[in-house]
């Protein structure tokens, strides 16, 4: 059983493809945290996740509204949160993560800005700029469900040549 995975993405399309494979298996209650500087590829990864999840809506950066909600044909929901503009823990506490997770999967950009309210069980991804087109992606699984998701990602990476 592994709980960490280190991967070098060579271009945005590859980041999207890995995201698609993850998106295809996401279920209500799944929490994906994406940490990394501006331009690290968080939203690009979310675009792949939403596509793999069969979203009817396109992904945009939830800059002013904190949470985007994506739909698909079966009534399920995918929540995409960007905590960049959060500047206090009380503000973060207003966000009802539990109700979102009860209804769908939740992806959070800038999760470290709301560290106090992030559940212990999650997939945590660190993205880092390496060169123009290369991004390092470090996956950390916290909890049994997330070890499963890590295996999906591992297979996606192994098949992506
Ligand atoms: P963030 O949400 O972390 O600020 P974005 O996904 O919005 O980042 O932007 C990442 C930018 O870097 C995009 O313009 C994308 O095309 C570019 N990019 C270049 N190489 C990669 C890669 N390997 N993976 C993801 N994005 C990449
Ligand atoms: Mg972004």
């Amino acid at each position: 059983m592994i709980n960490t995975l280190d991967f070098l993405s060579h271009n945005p399309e590859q980041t999207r493809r890995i995201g698609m494979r993850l998106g295809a298996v996401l279920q209500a209650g799944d929490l994906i945290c994406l940490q990394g500087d501006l331009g690290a590829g968080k939203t690009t990864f979310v675009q792949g996740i939403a596509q793999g999840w069969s979203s009817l809506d396109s992904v945009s950066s939830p800059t002013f509204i904190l949470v985007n909600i994506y739909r698909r044909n079966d009534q399920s929901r995918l929540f995409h949160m960007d905590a960049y503009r959060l500047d206090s823990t009380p503000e973060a506490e207003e966000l009802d993560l539990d109700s979102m997770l009860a209804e769908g999967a939740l992806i959070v950009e800038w999760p470290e800005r709301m560290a106090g309210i992030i559940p212990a069980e999650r997939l945590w991804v660190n993205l880092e700029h390496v060169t123009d087109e290369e991004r390092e992606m470090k996956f950390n699984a916290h909890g049994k469900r997330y070890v499963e998701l890590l295996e999906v990602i591992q297979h996606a990476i192994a098949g992506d040549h």
Side-chain angles (χ1 to χ4, degrees):
M1 188 189 87
I2 57 154
N3 48 29
T4 70
L5 188 59
D6 222 331
F7 170 63
L8 186 69
S9 164
H10 291 90
N11 51 59
E13 294 71 33
Q14 190 172 31
T15 298
R16 274 191 214 101
R17 280 200 301 275
I18 305 301
M20 282 177 67
R21 297 286 294 273
L22 174 61
V25 300
L26 279 189
Q27 296 171 356
D30 289 340
L31 173 61
I32 313 295
C33 298
L34 307 179
Q35 179 174 25
D37 290 338
L38 282 173
K42 301 181 294 298
T43 300
T44 301
F45 190 54
V46 178
Q47 286 166 350
I49 293 176
Q51 190 181 342
W53 181 78
S54 304
S55 175
L56 297 170
D57 306 297
S58 54
V59 167
S60 54
S61 286
T63 315
F64 294 104
I65 32 162
L66 217 50
V67 189
N68 284 344
I69 306 175
Y70 308 127
R71 300 159 304 155
R72 69 179 178 192
N73 280 323
D74 66 355
Q75 308 302 316
S76 58
R77 295 283 178 268
L78 176 63
F79 297 91
H80 176 202
M81 185 180 285
D82 189 326
Y84 185 66
R85 271 156 217 282
L86 271 188
D87 40 36
S88 69
T89 307
E91 203 184 338
E93 279 166 358
E94 310 259 301
L95 299 163
D96 196 352
L97 298 193
D98 290 342
S99 342
M100 285 186 255
L101 287 166
E103 248 194 277
L106 169 63
I107 309 166
V108 185
E109 297 188 41
W110 299 95
E112 68 274 31
R113 307 236 164 158
M114 41 189 266
I117 63 162
I118 294 277
E121 302 230 337
R122 74 236 170 178
L123 182 68
W124 190 281
V125 189
N126 279 280
L127 295 101
E128 251 181 72
H129 184 285
V130 180
T131 66
D132 255 17
E133 290 255 288
E134 287 176 320
R135 300 291 186 274
E136 184 177 22
M137 304 180 78
K138 291 183 191 162
F139 298 89
N140 280 280
H142 300 267
K144 195 161 154 259
R145 166 65 181 156
Y146 300 97
V147 171
E148 267 174 46
L149 293 183
L150 203 65
E151 280 166 11
V152 170
I153 292 165
Q154 193 179 26
H155 284 128
I157 289 169
D160 198 90
H161 290 300

